[in-house]
Amino acid sequence: MPPLKCSARDPTKSESTTSDCATVASVPEVTRVLSCIQPTGSVHLGNYLGALVNWVSGQHESEVFHGIVDLHALTVTDQPKVLGVQTLELAAMLFAVGLDPLRATIFVQSHIHEHSELAWVMECTVSFGELSRMTQFKDKAAKREADFVSAGLFTYPALQAADILLYDAQEVPVGDDQRQHIEITRDIATRFNHRFGDTFVLPRAVHPKMGARVMDLQDPTSKMSKSAHSDAGIIYMLDDNETIMRKFKRAVTDSDNDIRYDAATKPGIANLLEILSAATATPVESLLSQYQQYGPLKADAGDAVISLLEPIRLRYKALMSDPAELTRLLAIGDSRARTIAAATLARAHSAIGLLPKA
Ligand code: TYM
């Protein structure tokens, strides 16, 4: 158990905001990191470069927690018997990209009931107006058009705030699209701490330098997303080499045949440069001088991504061939996640002053 510190909940600030040590959670000495991914559809290059790469490197530096958030997926899933299978497939992918269950606490959200319980407290701490301003809700609700739009889709950020705050996470490694969700989590934590006393750590979002917003290869003004209408511009982690190269070669660019990094006027080229930069750990500035034509840039981006994904695909297939072992690996993080989540929920209930069970 890390030592109790009476410091501010905001780990980015050094000044203490409270003098009441008794109500303050312990701030871990090693940076505490949490991030999650939904088991909806196949994992793609945006998930990998925007989030998973940072998760894998983070496990060697920090104390990390990663959740497969199946309850979040419920906001857009209505098919029976699908989520469990997708959860196991996603677990295989997380291990295949390099997460080590002995270093990283990997858990399934629905297995830790504290997430749902704290989510209700969060719902009562966030306002209707704040939730109405969430751009992801507006986008997703609009995309579903005539489909069923669940209330869960609207209150989604409250559950996400619970995911983060339950683990006293200081850092949340995510792609750019999650910025607003981390901001609202900070607002909820701040309001709760103000109302009931210092209880939650204020987290901050951490984004990769390159790959924080991987765009669709067919529509480079939209992010690569599991919910896109067509697969043609999405590189899935399980795509074979030929498919990956074909998608890169057909990537939409522009007609001036001039290699510059300008996301506003040349989004297709900027996206290819960012992907190549992230996949080869080469700064965009160094890449610019190497290309005069679009063809070689597309081919090299395809090759770099193939080199990155091929070994992951092989490890994924091996893991999927042994479901019992996969289930065992997935169970390793469960009790550690539960212990921390239960302590935080109890702390929140006590801060509110709910009557303890006799
Ligand atoms: P999800 O499942 O949509 O995506 C998982 C991670 O992948 C990142 N990502 C991208 N990064 C770069 N370019 C893209 N095109 C791209 N598409 C996705 C996302 O930013 C994310 O980091 N709401 C979250 C899941 C969640 C969560 C949490 C995250 C639930 N609770 C607590 C962090 C902390 C989501 O839907 O991610």
Side-chain angles (χ1 to χ4, degrees), residues 128-280:
F128 182 85
E130 283 167 318
L131 291 178
S132 309
R133 286 192 287 277
M134 300 305 289
T135 51
Q136 281 219 348
F137 168 72
K138 289 191 242 179
D139 290 351
K140 285 189 182 174
K143 265 192 193 162
R144 294 181 73 75
E145 289 168 353
D147 271 353
F148 180 77
V149 176
S150 69
L153 200 60
F154 185 67
T155 58
Y156 182 113
L159 180 58
Q160 180 155 347
D163 300 337
I164 298 169
L165 300 180
L166 270 179
Y167 297 90
D168 291 332
Q170 294 156 288
E171 292 184 357
V172 187
V174 280
D176 201 47
D177 60 337
Q178 296 299 312
R179 243 172 235 280
Q180 212 186 9
H181 283 157
I182 312 306
E183 272 312 307
I184 200 171
T185 299
R186 289 174 63 90
D187 293 345
I188 294 173
T190 303
R191 185 171 301 134
F192 186 100
N193 287 351
H194 183 70
R195 280 185 186 165
F196 302 115
D198 222 355
T199 304
F200 293 121
V201 171
L202 294 197
R204 67 182 187 90
V206 177
H207 307 288
K209 278 207 186 82
M210 280 295 142
R213 194 169 189 86
V214 177
M215 309 306 271
D216 188 296
L217 295 180
Q218 285 300 310
D219 175 10
T221 56
S222 303
K223 70 165 185 176
M224 193 175 281
S225 161
K226 294 168 190 169
S227 59
H229 290 304
S230 149
D231 282 354
I234 305 175
I235 304 292
Y236 292 109
M237 300 294 284
L238 298 177
D239 276 348
D240 58 40
N241 294 349
E242 210 181 301
T243 306
I244 294 175
M245 190 50 91
R246 194 181 58 246
K247 288 179 177 176
F248 272 101
K249 289 208 164 147
R250 291 185 185 166
V252 167
T253 49
D254 52 61
S255 52
D256 38 272
N257 226 5
D258 166 26
I259 307 250
R260 275 183 296 118
Y261 182 87
D262 183 344
T265 60
K266 297 173 72 66
I269 293 300
N271 192 34
L272 289 169
L273 286 166
E274 278 221 27
I275 291 173
L276 183 57
S277 162
T280 57

Side-chain angles (χ1 to χ4, degrees), residues 77-141:
T77 307
D78 52 13
Q79 303 277 308
K81 311 251 185 266
V82 172
L83 270 183
V85 176
Q86 289 183 338
T87 298
L88 210 58
E89 287 170 353
L90 182 52
M93 184 54 76
L94 296 186
F95 299 132
V97 297
L99 284 172
D100 173 355
L102 298 176
R103 283 183 184 273
T105 302
I106 311 290
F107 63 87
V108 176
Q109 186 186 35
S110 65
H111 294 180
I112 316 283
H113 60 77
E114 285 80 3
H115 287 253
S116 313
E117 290 178 54
L118 189 65
W120 177 251
V121 175
M122 302 288 101
E123 280 183 45
C124 297
T125 313
V126 68
S127 72
F128 182 85
E130 283 167 318
L131 291 178
S132 309
R133 286 192 287 277
M134 300 305 289
T135 51
Q136 281 219 348
F137 168 72
K138 289 191 242 179
D139 290 351
K140 285 189 182 174

